Amino acid sequence: MKKYIKHILCISAFGALYSCSKDVVKPEAINDPEQTIAIKLAADFAVARYNVVLIDPEVTIENSNGLVPQYKWTVKVTGKDGVVKDSVICDTKTLQFIAPTANNYAVNFTVTSGKVTKQAATKVKVSETNKTYNSKALLLVDFFPAPGFSNDGLEFTDKSAVLSEMQLNLDNGDAITLGTFGGYVVTKFDHTVINAYAARDFIVQMSKTNNNIKFSPAGIFVAYDANKNGIADENEWYEIAGSEYHKSTTVKNYEMTYYKPDPVKPAVAGKAAWEFDTSYLKYTDNKNGSGAITKTTKFRRWNYYPQWLGDSYTLKGTKVYVPVKDVSDGAGTSFNVATFDWGYGGIKDSSIDISWAVDANGKKVHLPGIDFVKVYVPTMGAVGALDLLTCNYEETRDLNFYK
């Protein structure tokens, strides 16, 4: 309080001294130059539906005084009530325009810097492709399961045969089981699923948990085929950063190596009746961890290891902690498996916003849409007699373009 009083007194004293001065020098008026915005934007563009056209206007801002400009792209959309309104489709300087319907689109561009606003307009003619598109990602690109009892039905020695079998599962709407941590499937849409502004874009549907198998929420990677070579190149993959991505319990760049079990090794029984072989399938990780997957009594005649793979293989991804609680008084026969809030498959709301995609450093990326989806198991946990936490993938659907 004393410092505050002294501060007030000093100001008063300075004011009194200043008022008594006879030689008052008035500061010269400084006229800041007026801020201006200039935009050069082509009058029209053309593209086929579900394809991307890059619109990159030239924006010149004079005398901005360090202000960061704001950008907004809008397009005229007719709502369900028949009213035409402006719908925001992008908030960056460069627009990657994509539309699902052939039409002539009136697109407006607005630049705001401080109190100054400048607008420009263009037209985009979207032509018909005469193709019928499927809302599901039904083309199987890759399948790589982690160990799990569900692999017993996949007694293949050749991966091409495995892919053919999984493609049939997709075509028939049957489940694809991914096993435990790292197991994944990659599927492709027959069109680019559009990244709608401020809206969810597609759904990853999973099989529901039943009393016999506990399914883990699924992690998701997406890829946009920017070079249009029909392949999801390594540098085109981005992770959907869901609700668990930034938590301290989440491990980025996690790797787990699984080792093929020795078929003649004697089983090492555990204390519980369901623990048929506690040293059945060895694994190590890149965090100096190691352990073994226990084969349960129920599935003791099953082979957990994919038979078309060699003596070992490594799977990678972001490892997410999921709480698992034994609700059978320690008997290991009934468990509650937690879920996640958003950004994963197999949860209450499994709709995904493509804008949640991040690069390897966790930085947000701006994708006009996606062509590929990778669904993988981000968890590693045992549920006693029920075996491992597994992930059952069924299908991927896209949603509407404009909301």
Side-chain angles (χ1 to χ4, degrees), residues 124-259:
V124 181
K125 182 178 181 180
V126 178
S127 59
E128 184 57 74
T129 60
N130 296 318
K131 294 180 180 179
T132 301
Y133 299 102
N134 198 318
S135 64
K136 299 179 182 179
L138 290 181
L139 179 60
L140 182 71
V141 176
D142 199 7
F143 170 64
F144 222 116
F149 69 88
S150 53
N151 288 316
D152 185 66
L154 300 176
E155 294 293 339
F156 300 102
T157 56
D158 179 71
K159 186 173 181 179
S160 62
V162 177
L163 293 179
S164 296
E165 183 74 10
M166 293 303 102
Q167 183 64 66
L168 285 175
N169 282 9
L170 276 178
D171 295 340
N172 297 330
D174 297 331
I176 295 178
T177 304
L178 305 180
T180 186
F181 175 81
Y184 68 85
V185 62
V186 178
T187 57
K188 180 183 179 181
F189 287 95
D190 60 6
H191 63 287
T192 299
V193 177
I194 298 169
N195 182 7
Y197 183 81
R200 306 288 177 94
D201 305 298
F202 67 98
I203 297 174
V204 175
Q205 294 183 329
M206 315 296 296
S207 294
K208 295 181 179 179
T209 301
N210 59 38
N211 292 328
N212 297 318
I213 303 173
K214 298 299 179 183
F215 298 131
S216 162
I220 300 165
F221 279 80
V222 295
Y224 168 61
D225 188 11
N227 58 15
K228 300 302 177 184
N229 64 354
I231 300 172
D233 297 309
E234 190 65 29
N235 64 346
E236 292 177 337
W237 281 111
Y238 300 98
E239 184 173 5
I240 295 296
S243 58
E244 312 304 296
Y245 183 82
H246 294 287
K247 291 187 176 181
S248 60
T249 52
T250 297
V251 183
K252 310 293 197 309
N253 302 312
Y254 187 74
E255 299 180 12
M256 183 165 282
T257 300
Y258 301 101
Y259 300 90

Side-chain angles (χ1 to χ4, degrees), residues 25 51 127 131 179 193 233 235 275 322 333 340 361-362 367 379:
V25 180
N51 285 269
S127 59
K131 294 180 180 179
V193 177
D233 297 309
N235 64 346
E275 295 177 310
V322 57
T333 56
F340 302 146
N361 297 316
L367 302 175
T379 58

Side-chain angles (χ1 to χ4, degrees), residues 325-370:
K325 183 179 180 180
D326 187 341
V327 292
S328 59
D329 295 328
T333 56
S334 183
F335 290 80
N336 284 339
V337 179
T339 186
F340 302 146
D341 293 333
W342 54 272
Y344 298 88
I347 61 177
K348 185 176 181 180
D349 182 1
S350 57
S351 56
I352 304 299
D353 188 343
I354 296 172
S355 297
W356 295 338
V358 297
D359 63 17
N361 297 316
K363 183 179 179 181
K364 281 186 171 293
V365 295
H366 298 281
L367 302 175
I370 61 165

Side-chain angles (χ1 to χ4, degrees), residues 66 75 86 92 94 97 132 144 176 190 211 229 233 257 267 269 278 307 315 343 356-357 367 378 381 383-384 401 403:
V75 65
D86 287 326
T92 59
T94 302
F97 186 88
T132 301
F144 222 116
I176 295 178
D190 60 6
N211 292 328
N229 64 354
D233 297 309
T257 300
T278 58
Q307 294 302 290
L315 294 174
W356 295 338
L367 302 175
V383 284
F401 176 43
K403 297 293 180 182

